[in-house]
Structures are given as structure tokens and as C-alpha cells.
């Protein structure tokens, strides 16, 4: 059965190369989608407008000099060999791309038709394309692909048989499967191991265990159990896993800039932050679990005391209602202050007990050379000898995170923070968040580390509100 996929605008904004994701099947782009991309490409929101332009260029590359008739019936999708991972310079994926002139659809007795109000006219036109193709191609499978949940419901309610979310960028089927940076065993970990060889390396002990007993491990992760064993994966090969035996007491006695871990998860995060072999540290966890505080305390320790970095760059994406940081008088740091207030709050925690706390905070900002940046203006730059902290990363796409991580220069480290329960982007879910994608991809990168921290300290009023309001 022929499969025809109708793409919504948000799919191409989410992944400008989505056209290549449907293999040998036919991809249909409604004229309304092209019109929306044309409007979006000139927006002030640099990330969204960039994705729109890239999507338009991708379509133009495939269409080439095709005639109007060929364009409406479908032109072959040809892609460069390096994009497919093949050695051929050009290759046909056997799929096709067609533009559907949805302005020509009329309301007939044979085809369900949505008109609706002006605010939803574009969504309705795109749904109408799927309904029209379904009515005129009874032997084909027609599927509307959209990131908009409400649009999927409307399409099904209008009679469209197949409506799907765009899933190519998903690396997980269930968020519970996402790596936390550690595996916890009930009872004793050693009761699950058949044999072990322990080696002494100076003051350290390394346990060598058969890989078959621990198939899901990756570098720089922990194994813990209820009997206070803590093992850290320092190496692995096809046959063996090498676990560094770490004292739980030593983990809990760590400190950065005067703060100590309150639980084992925070202690493991301390260890990973300190780990010299980690260029990228990802910390996930609920609000109030200490992610920002740990990152900031570590940053002050390694810039002011140890002189490892020359500056701390704190950045986050401004929300959609404030796509531009503004043109009013003031520096970039002053304009970013409302969105980075959490870092000022944590600086107050670190120095609030000082005799002159406000003077101490201002001194620390200047001495540690803390710079506040908007992610919208980081593309094209390179950061050397710097510690970069990316806050609220859960609302970023994988393309946005990639553009940030590629900015990291020599002798620099990046810490990515995020809470997947607080996503404000209407087109991103926890499973499609760039943060989830980064966590799963970085398991195969030996210079990255991951930790899910917990240990929320809330007032009794906050706990009541969380459970009852």
C-alpha cells in the first residue's frame, strides 16, 4: 500500500530535514505550510526563523527545476550521500515530494471540509489536505504528521484515519528509561556478580567484572546499593567493566565554595563536576533539587580559587513572549536579569550570611567574571577558557543545543541544567526535548557525564500546594 505523509509546519520547524525521514514513501507539503514558512523566516526569533529558512532551502534543493505538473504529482527525493552515510555522491531515497495546492479544495458532498474561524484557518486547510487525499486515494494510506496535539485531535474528529506525531527525533519510548547517571541495586550489588577480580592502584581499588553481568553500563556512571557500596565506571571494553571503589563517606564529605552534598545523588554530582575527564556535565532533576546551586558553587570554586577558567558564562533561552531581549538602554546582562534571577538567588544563598552580603555578591560577580548571555545571541561565537552553564535546557530542541555545544572552545567546560517536568515550549514534550536527546546521545561519549539529582527542600506550604492545589 502506498503511504502518503502530509507534513504540518511545526514538523519542519522542529526538524528542517524531516522530508528525508520518510524513506521510500511520498511526502506532501500543503501550500499553506509554504506560506507559513515564508512568514516565519523573517521573524525576529533567530532560532525559529533560521529553521524556517533551512526548511525552505531543503524543499528548493529537492524541487530544483521541476515543472508545475511534476511538482504536484511528486518529484524524486535525492539527497547527498554524506547525509545518508553512504559513499555515493548522490542517491535517490525512492521517496517523492509533492506540493498540494490546498487553496483549490472546495466543500463537496464527498469530502469532509473544515472552514472554521480565521484564527484556525491555516490548521483547517492543512487538515483538509489530508481529508482530500484520503477521499481521492482510497487505496493509499494517508497520514497527517503534526507536533500540535489539538490539531491531531481535530483531524481525527474530522474523519482522518491516521494522524501521528513526528517521532524520528525520539531516542526513548518511555521517559522512565532515561539514564539517571547511576544504577541502584536492592540489597547487595555483589550478590548479582558471579566473579570479580580486584586490583590495587595506589590508594584506589578497581574491580574487574564480566561485561555480561552489567550490559547496560557506560563510562562515568555509578553503581550503588543498599549496603553503601559505590562503584564508578572508569573503563569498559567488550569483555569487562572496570569499577573504581569509592567510599560513600568520602563522597559525602566533598565541598564546593562552602557547601556540602545533602544526599548521595548530590554527592555523585559533586564527584562528576570535579571529574577531570568530563567536558560536558548534564544535571537533570525537579525544581529545588540543587542543580543551579551546585553548578554555581563549582564555578566559583574553579574560577576564583583554582584559576582553572577565566570566566563563568551563564545562559538561557528567553521565553517565546520575549523573543528579543529588547532595545531599551542597558547591557545584555541587565536585560537578561529577569530570566536569570535564579542565579542571583543562589549567590545570596552562598553569601547571604556575609557581613556585607550585597557587596560580597557584587565582588564575586566581578572577580569570577560572571557573564549573563542570551542563547539567541551565542551562535557564531567561540568560548575559550570558560565554564558555561546552560539553564532551563529542557525547552530547547536538539538543533538548538547542538548550536550551543559546538560553541565550546579549548580549555572550556559546559554544564547543562534542566527539569523535564517544566517545559514551556508547546511543540516539545519530555520525550522530544533536546535535553533528553543530549542525555541519551552522551552516554556514548567518554568525556561526558550525567546525573539526576534530587533531595528537594520545600517549606510546608510549598509541599501542601504541590499535593493539594
Amino acid at each position: 500500500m502506498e503511504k502518503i505523509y502530509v507534513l504540518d509546519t511545526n514538523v519542519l520547524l522542529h526538524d528542517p530535514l524531516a522530508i528525508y525521514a520518510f524513506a521510500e514513501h511520498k511526502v506532501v507539503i500543503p501550500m499553506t505550510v509554504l506560506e507559513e514558512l515564508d512568514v516565519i523566516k523573517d521573524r525576529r526569533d533567530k532560532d525559529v526563523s533560521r529553521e524556517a529558512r533551512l526548511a525552505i532551502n531543503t524543499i528548493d534543493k529537492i524541487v530544483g527545476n521541476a515543472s508545475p505538473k511534476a511538482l504536484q504529482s511528486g518529484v524524486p527525493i535525492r539527497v547527498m550521500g554524506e547525509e545518508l552515510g553512504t559513499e555515493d555522491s548522490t542517491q535517490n531515497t525512492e521517496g517523492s515530494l509533492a506540493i498540494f495546492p490546498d487553496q483549490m479544495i472546495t466543500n463537496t458532498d464527498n469530502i469532509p471540509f473544515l472552514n472554521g474561524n480565521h484564527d484556525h484557518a491555516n490548521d483547517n486547510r492543512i487538515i483538509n489536505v489530508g481529508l482530500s487525499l484520503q477521499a481521492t486515494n482510497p487505496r493509499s494510506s494517508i497520514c497527517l504528521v503534526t507536533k500540535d496535539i489539538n490539531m491531531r485531535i481535530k483531524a481525527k474528529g474530522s474523519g482522518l484515519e491516521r494522524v501521528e506525531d513526528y517521532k524520528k527525533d525520539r531516542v526513548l519510548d518511555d521517559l522512565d528509561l532515561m539514564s539517571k547517571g547511576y544504577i541502584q541495586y536492592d540489597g547487595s550489588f555483589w550478590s548479582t556478580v558471579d566473579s570479580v577480580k580486584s586490583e590495587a592502584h595506589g590508594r584506589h581499588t578497581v574491580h574487574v567484572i564480566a561485561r555480561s553481568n552489567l550490559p547496560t553500563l557506560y563510562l562515568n556512571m555509578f553503581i550503588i546499593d543498599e549496603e553503601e557500596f559505590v562503584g564508578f565506571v572508569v573503563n569498559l571494553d567488550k569483555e569487562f567493566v572496570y569499577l573504581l571503589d569509592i567510599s560513600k563517606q568520602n563522597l559525602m564529605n566533598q565541598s564546593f565554595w562552602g557547601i556540602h552534598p545533602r544526599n548521595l545523588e548530590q554527592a555523585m554530582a559533586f564527584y562528576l563536576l570535579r571529574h577531570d575527564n568530563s567536558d560536558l556535565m548534564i544535571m537533570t532533576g525537579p525544581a529545588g533539587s540543587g542543580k543551579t546551586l551546585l553548578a554555581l558553587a563549582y564555578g566559583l570554586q574553579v574560577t576564583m580559587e583554582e584559576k582553572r577558567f577565566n570566566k563563568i558564562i551563564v545562559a538561557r533561552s528567553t521565553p517565546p513572549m520575549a523573543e528579543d531581549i529588547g532595545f531599551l538602554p542597558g547591557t545584555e546582562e541587565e536585560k537578561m536579569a529577569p530570566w536569570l534571577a535564579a542565579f542571583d538567588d543562589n549567590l545570596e544563598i552562598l553569601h547571604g550570611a556575609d557581613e556585607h552580603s550585597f557587596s560580597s555578591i557584587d565582588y564575586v560577580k566581578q572577580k569570577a567574571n560572571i557573564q549573563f548571555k542570551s542563547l539567541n545571541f551565542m551562535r557564531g561565537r567561540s568560548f575559550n577558557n570558560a565554564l558555561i552553564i546552560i539553564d532551563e535546557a529542557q525547552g530547547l530542541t536538539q538543533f538548538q543545543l547542538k548550536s550551543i555545544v559546538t560553541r565550546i572552545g579549548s580549555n572550556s567546560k559546559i554544564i547543562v541544567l534542566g527539569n523535564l517536568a517544566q517545559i514551556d515550549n508547546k511543540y516539545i514534550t519530555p520525550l522530544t526535548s533536546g535535553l533528553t536527546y543530549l542525555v541519551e546521545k552522551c552516554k556514548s561519549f567518554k568525556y561526558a557525564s550525567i546525573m539526576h539529582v534530587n533531595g528537594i527542600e520545600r517549606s510546608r506550604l510549598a509541599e501542601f500546594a504541590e499535593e493539594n492545589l
Side-chain angles (χ1 to χ4, degrees):
M1 178 182 292
E2 180 190 29
K3 293 183 180 180
I4 301 175
Y5 292 92
V6 180
L7 303 192
D8 189 13
T9 310
N10 51 55
V11 172
L12 294 174
L13 294 178
H14 185 77
D15 180 3
L17 303 179
I19 295 172
Y20 298 125
F22 296 90
E24 72 275 12
H25 306 300
K26 184 175 183 178
V27 176
V28 172
I29 297 180
M31 189 66 67
T32 298
V33 170
L34 293 179
E35 292 173 349
E36 287 189 327
L37 290 174
D38 189 47
V39 173
I40 294 171
K41 69 179 176 62
D42 295 322
R43 280 188 186 176
R44 286 182 176 177
D45 187 336
K46 296 182 181 297
D47 287 316
V48 175
S49 61
R50 173 184 174 272
E51 311 301 351
R53 290 192 297 272
L54 182 55
I56 293 170
N57 289 334
T58 301
I59 296 170
D60 178 65
K61 182 179 178 181
I62 296 172
V63 169
N65 297 321
S67 66
K69 185 177 181 180
L71 187 54
Q72 291 181 15
S73 62
V75 297
I77 296 177
R78 299 184 183 275
V79 60
M80 297 304 294
E82 56 266 23
E83 294 182 38
L84 292 173
T86 65
E87 296 180 357
D88 298 335
S89 59
T90 304
Q91 182 171 320
N92 186 0
T93 64
E94 297 182 0
S96 62
L97 170 66
I99 305 298
F100 193 102
D102 54 83
Q103 71 275 14
M104 298 174 63
I105 298 178
T106 57
N107 191 359
T108 68
D109 294 335
N110 297 325
I111 302 175
F113 185 81
L114 288 176
N115 43 30
N117 58 50
H118 178 72
D119 293 337
H120 300 96
N122 285 354
D123 285 355
N124 291 347
R125 291 191 188 106
I126 295 170
I127 293 174
N128 286 338
V129 171
L131 294 172
S132 177
L133 288 170
Q134 183 175 267
T136 56
N137 297 269
R139 295 186 178 181
S140 299
S141 172
I142 312 300
C143 179
L144 172 64
V145 184
T146 176
K147 303 291 296 176
D148 190 331
I149 298 174
N150 191 60
M151 189 173 176
R152 294 202 293 269
I153 298 172
K154 284 175 59 178
K156 288 181 180 179
S158 300
L160 195 57
E161 294 292 336
R162 289 189 60 200
V163 185
E164 295 180 0
D165 188 7
Y166 181 67
K167 300 177 181 179
K168 179 180 180 294
D169 56 343
R170 286 192 183 183
V171 290
L172 289 174
D173 292 325
D174 188 342
L175 199 62
D176 291 336
L177 300 175
M178 189 176 77
S179 174
K180 293 183 177 181
Y182 65 90
I183 294 179
Q184 185 168 8
Y185 284 81
D186 297 330
S188 172
F189 161 71
W190 295 111
S191 64
T192 66
V193 178
D194 297 329
S195 62
V196 59
K197 177 183 177 183
S198 297
E199 303 174 348
H201 297 269
R203 296 181 300 169
H204 304 291
T205 300
V206 176
H207 305 294
V208 184
I209 304 172
R211 184 78 179 266
S212 57
N213 290 326
L214 305 164
T216 60
L217 292 191
Y218 53 88
L219 282 174
N220 301 331
M221 74 174 298
F222 291 89
I223 290 178
I224 60 177
D225 65 14
E226 294 179 343
E227 297 188 1
E228 299 195 346
F229 169 73
V230 180
F232 182 66
V233 181
V234 292
N235 194 13
L236 49 81
D237 53 35
K238 292 182 179 180
E239 296 183 7
F240 299 104
V241 174
Y242 301 81
L243 288 179
L244 176 64
D245 197 322
I246 302 177
S247 165
K248 183 177 179 180
Q249 182 178 357
N250 290 341
L251 278 180
M252 298 302 297
N253 287 334
Q254 298 174 102
S255 67
F256 288 141
W257 207 246
I259 67 168
H260 299 269
R262 290 180 171 174
N263 55 47
L264 184 56
E265 288 177 326
Q266 289 187 356
M268 291 187 290
F270 270 64
Y271 188 89
L272 292 175
L273 286 167
R274 172 67 72 186
H275 194 41
D276 292 332
N277 205 33
S278 179
D279 298 335
L280 168 64
M281 168 71 177
I282 307 169
M283 274 195 284
T284 62
S289 56
K291 303 184 298 295
T292 305
L293 182 64
L294 296 185
L296 188 57
Y298 168 76
L300 296 178
Q301 179 78 27
V302 293
T303 53
M304 295 185 67
E305 291 291 333
E306 301 175 16
K307 309 296 182 183
R308 283 187 56 191
F309 305 109
N310 296 335
K311 55 190 172 185
I312 301 173
I313 296 175
V314 179
R316 63 161 290 174
S317 178
T318 51
M321 66 179 181
E323 294 172 350
D324 208 308
I325 61 173
F327 295 95
L328 294 175
T331 64
E332 182 181 3
E333 178 178 342
E334 292 169 340
K335 293 175 182 179
M336 286 297 297
W339 294 288
L340 293 165
F343 283 87
D344 284 333
D345 295 341
N346 282 281
L347 281 173
E348 289 183 15
I349 293 174
L350 295 172
H351 290 278
D354 294 358
E355 184 175 354
H356 302 286
S357 59
F358 289 106
S359 298
S360 295
I361 292 172
D362 289 338
Y363 172 78
V364 166
K365 283 184 177 181
Q366 295 177 10
K367 189 69 175 178
N369 193 11
I370 301 179
Q371 303 176 15
F372 296 101
K373 302 292 182 184
S374 169
L375 294 181
N376 298 337
F377 299 94
M378 290 182 68
R379 184 175 283 115
R381 304 183 62 184
S382 293
F383 299 99
N384 300 308
N385 303 308
L387 175 69
I388 298 95
I389 302 174
I390 306 299
D391 194 24
E392 302 292 341
Q394 69 274 3
L396 301 175
T397 68
Q398 66 184 74
F399 295 97
Q400 290 171 323
L401 271 175
K402 178 180 178 180
S403 68
I404 297 162
V405 174
T406 53
R407 299 297 97 215
I408 310 306
S410 61
N411 190 38
S412 290
K413 181 172 183 173
I414 182 170
I415 303 173
V416 181
L417 312 175
N419 175 14
L420 290 168
Q422 293 185 336
I423 296 177
D424 298 323
N425 191 320
K426 62 182 179 180
Y427 296 132
I428 293 178
T429 66
L431 287 174
T432 61
S433 168
L435 181 61
T436 304
Y437 186 85
L438 188 65
V439 167
E440 292 306 305
K441 289 296 182 181
C442 281
K443 291 195 300 185
S444 61
F445 182 53
K446 66 179 181 179
Y447 300 112
S449 54
I450 304 160
M451 181 52 57
H452 179 85
V453 294
N454 214 322
I456 305 173
E457 280 211 355
R458 287 291 197 221
S459 68
R460 56 193 178 191
L461 175 59
E463 290 178 0
F464 167 78
E466 187 74 28
E467 297 176 1
N468 301 282
L469 299 184

